Amino acid sequence: MDLYNINFYLENKQNWYLDIPRIIAQKSTRLWLGKGILLQSEDKKLLDNWNNFYFKDKIFEKLAKFGIQNSLLGRCILLWMITKTGELTLVVPTPTFMSRVAKINEQEQSAELFFTNNQADNQTLTWVTITPKIVHVEIFNNVGEETILGTTKSKTKPENLVKTSYTLKNPFGFLPIVEITNLPNPLLFGQSTTLNGYPDCMSVYPLIEDLNHNIKQKRKERILNQTRAFGQLSNEQLLELMTGKSDIGQYVEDFFMNVSSTPYDKTGNGGINFIQGNPKFSEYWLDYNGIIKQIFNGAGYDIEDYNGQQYTNKTQSMFNNKFDMETTEYKIAHYKPYILRLMDMWMYYYGHWNMIGERTYSFDFIPIAMTDQLQEKELIEFQLIYGLMTKKEAIGKLRNVNLLQAKNILKEVNKEDKEDEKIKLLGENKNEQTSTNSINETSSSAIEKTTTSD
């Protein structure tokens, strides 16, 4: 078995009863991607442009697709496509499709890519040629099922079916492409990302086959050990059965019956006998639990949620498990420089940074409760007390907003605080005035009363 073949998953999944690699890929992506990317910058125009682009181009959805592909197949390619109107769009081609026709050489700075279009109203293919100087794009109509599935038996580049083509100047001066392996693995075959594909489940594929064999055998065991009935029916009882008047009609599918003129004997002689199976599901279940735990741990994750702890607080961490935390932090550290490079290209293209000097922005992933929210509040409070964090940064952390939004929130809070303080002061002054008037009235009444008595 070739464990380094990225097609292994696609070729074998049809024989699996439980798609463990996809389950782990979805879990992996949810943990490292979290709720998406949070961009931080003091430049309002930059933030507005990015926020509009983030939702318009469905960046979260594409990064999720990238994460699942990387976990399943071991590597993934991300590239900025320049549309005919001059806009950027992030493309996540399928590696198995591109691997047959794609040519990417970062050292020589040249690339040819062939992939299916995103969000097309009909099935189309795109051929992109990129050099440091130009980007040439050709889009083809549907060229047949074989080519759509990634085979190259017919025509790799059907010139006579070109729907549209255009050539643009490459604004970057280099390839706007990053090829990312699922995990850093430079010791297998040098530094080639193409050969270093390392799916999460690579080391446990044989165990996945064992697990699905277990499920298959348990299913057979359940079917073979159903209660069976053997016996014979008279012609009259057969007629009742066929007309729906018999009480055993709902069980007849599991009966082995012999039709005879012999009447039904209630003592069992010549009547119906039952055979009850004895399935051993407990043994299968123990085997299942042991294998699936080894699979998840071998892939770098945990299968037991909360590690046996009772889940009593809805703000409690989803990250109580050792393997989940280790693998997630490792993947974030591995992916972040690549995604940062893609964002650098976007900033440069839209004029928000010239790639010289310090970046005008930063970003991070919004985690899904990596730490207990109550503990996080305590940490933020500690940093505020000792001057390690500004109020603006604290609001950004707690509300998952960028610093500019946090700054506006802080302004509103301070404004309301000042208004509350004014109202409080007015109330105190009014109370003091009332008290003074009361004292004066009391004093005057006392004087008048004394004067009257005199």
Side-chain angles (χ1 to χ4, degrees):
M1 180 174 59
D2 183 7
L3 292 180
Y4 304 105
N5 180 3
I6 63 175
N7 292 319
F8 180 87
Y9 166 74
L10 297 176
E11 292 168 357
N12 288 270
K13 66 170 291 187
Q14 60 185 346
N15 299 320
W16 292 345
Y17 290 86
L18 190 62
D19 195 347
I20 292 290
R22 183 170 291 277
I23 293 171
I24 289 179
Q26 291 170 337
K27 176 173 184 175
S28 166
T29 304
R30 285 195 299 266
L31 292 179
W32 72 260
L33 180 57
K35 301 175 186 176
I37 289 177
L38 178 62
L39 192 73
Q40 300 286 13
S41 178
E42 297 287 351
D43 187 340
K44 185 178 185 304
K45 183 179 177 182
L46 183 155
L47 288 176
D48 289 341
N49 289 348
W50 170 257
N51 289 334
N52 291 334
F53 177 81
Y54 185 85
F55 293 108
K56 178 183 175 183
D57 204 51
K58 300 183 179 180
I59 297 298
F60 178 84
E61 180 183 329
K62 291 178 180 180
L63 289 178
K65 179 182 177 183
F66 149 73
I68 291 173
Q69 280 192 16
N70 239 19
S71 177
L72 287 176
L73 306 175
R75 67 184 181 94
C76 190
I77 295 170
L78 298 173
L79 71 142
W80 286 118
M81 268 285 295
I82 305 175
T83 65
K84 196 172 183 179
T85 58
E87 296 292 323
L88 286 187
T89 181
L90 187 63
V91 175
V92 189
T94 306
T96 51
F97 185 88
M98 287 181 50
S99 62
R100 300 187 172 151
V101 291
K103 301 175 184 177
I104 303 173
N105 191 320
E106 291 188 3
Q107 186 174 1
E108 296 179 4
Q109 287 294 293
S110 63
E112 284 185 282
L113 310 174
F114 193 41
F115 51 84
T116 56
N117 280 348
N118 293 330
Q119 293 183 307
D121 54 355
N122 60 342
Q123 189 64 68
T124 56
L125 302 173
T126 299
W127 184 288
V128 183
T129 304
I130 307 174
T131 69
K133 293 184 179 180
I134 61 102
V135 176
H136 181 67
V137 179
E138 291 178 278
I139 299 176
F140 306 96
N141 284 319
N142 191 330
V143 292
E145 247 178 63
E146 287 189 348
T147 307
I148 295 299
L149 294 174
T151 62
T152 55
K153 294 178 182 177
S154 55
K155 293 182 179 180
T156 304
K157 190 177 178 182
E159 301 286 354
N160 59 331
L161 295 174
V162 176
K163 179 180 179 182
T164 183
S165 65
Y166 58 91
T167 302
L168 300 171
K169 179 183 177 182
N170 186 343
F172 304 106
F174 53 83
L175 302 183
I177 302 171
V178 295
E179 188 177 12
I180 313 174
T181 55
N182 178 46
L183 293 168
N185 193 22
L187 299 179
L188 285 179
F189 302 110
Q191 296 180 346
S192 171
T193 52
T194 302
L195 296 175
N196 278 353
Y198 195 89
D200 280 330
C201 291
M202 177 187 284
S203 57
V204 291
Y205 275 136
L207 286 177
I208 294 173
E209 292 177 336
D210 284 349
L211 181 71
N212 282 281
H213 181 70
N214 177 297
I215 296 172
K216 181 179 180 181
Q217 288 301 114
K218 187 176 71 172
R219 183 176 297 177
K220 289 181 179 179
E221 184 88 0
R222 184 177 65 250
I223 294 172
L224 292 174
N225 281 278
Q226 288 180 347
T227 300
R228 306 290 184 182
F230 296 83
Q232 62 184 13
L233 294 175
S234 65
N235 291 328
E236 292 78 9
Q237 291 167 331
L238 178 62
L239 181 61
E240 290 179 359
L241 183 65
M242 294 176 65
T243 56
K245 298 178 181 179
S246 174
D247 294 335
I248 63 173
Q250 57 181 319
Y251 306 109
V252 75
E253 291 181 359
D254 291 324
F255 279 16
F256 296 87
M257 307 303 298
N258 178 35
V259 179
S260 171
S261 59
T262 306
Y264 180 74
D265 186 352
K266 293 184 179 180
T267 62
N269 296 324
I272 299 176
N273 295 321
F274 291 91
I275 297 178
Q276 177 67 54
N278 184 28
K280 299 179 180 179
F281 291 135
S282 59
E283 295 181 10
Y284 283 103
W285 184 247
L286 289 173
D287 188 32
Y288 176 92
N289 281 342
I291 295 174
I292 200 167
K293 185 173 182 180
Q294 289 179 329
I295 289 173
F296 271 76
N297 289 352
Y301 296 96
D302 293 278
I303 185 63
E304 296 177 0
D305 293 336
Y306 311 111
N307 204 18
Q309 300 175 14
Q310 186 178 2
Y311 185 62
T312 56
N313 187 344
K314 67 179 181 180
T315 63
Q316 185 176 347
S317 169
M318 292 175 63
F319 260 174
N320 287 338
N321 295 314
K322 172 186 175 184
F323 291 111
D324 286 348
M325 288 191 291
E326 287 180 352
T327 306
T328 299
E329 294 298 328
Y330 195 60
K331 282 196 172 185
I332 287 176
H334 176 49
Y335 293 157
K336 200 167 182 180
Y338 291 98
I339 297 175
L340 186 64
R341 177 173 170 79
L342 286 171
M343 294 184 71
D344 284 346
M345 296 178 199
W346 186 90
M347 297 291 171
Y348 176 79
Y349 187 81
Y350 287 107
H352 297 299
W353 185 49
N354 59 3
M355 290 194 174
I356 300 174
E358 188 176 352
R359 288 183 175 88
T360 57
Y361 75 98
S362 64
F363 86 93
D364 213 336
F365 299 103
I366 305 174
I368 301 181
M370 280 192 181
T371 58
D372 192 298
Q373 291 180 13
L374 297 177
Q375 292 179 357
E376 186 177 14
K377 289 177 182 177
E378 290 177 3
L379 291 172
I380 291 173
E381 185 178 358
F382 173 83
Q383 293 182 73
L384 284 171
I385 291 172
Y386 288 93
L388 303 175
M389 176 185 286
T390 64
K391 290 182 179 180
K392 180 173 64 176
E393 291 173 326
I395 292 173
K397 285 276 187 182
L398 290 171
R399 299 280 294 272
N400 286 330
V401 297
N402 58 55
L403 293 179
L404 191 61
Q405 292 170 316
K407 187 176 180 181
N408 292 332
I409 293 171
L410 184 58
K411 283 182 180 179
E412 290 296 320
V413 171
N414 290 336
K415 183 179 177 181
E416 289 187 7
D417 286 345
K418 288 180 180 179
E419 290 177 356
D420 291 342
E421 188 66 27
K422 286 180 181 179
I423 294 171
K424 184 180 177 182
L425 289 173
L426 287 173
E428 289 176 354
N429 291 336
K430 185 177 180 180
N431 290 335
E432 288 178 3
Q433 186 66 35
T434 304
S435 300
T436 304
N437 293 338
S438 299
I439 292 171
N440 292 336
E441 288 174 3
T442 304
S443 301
S444 302
S445 299
I447 292 170
E448 288 175 2
K449 189 175 182 180
T450 304
T451 304
T452 304
S453 61
D454 286 340

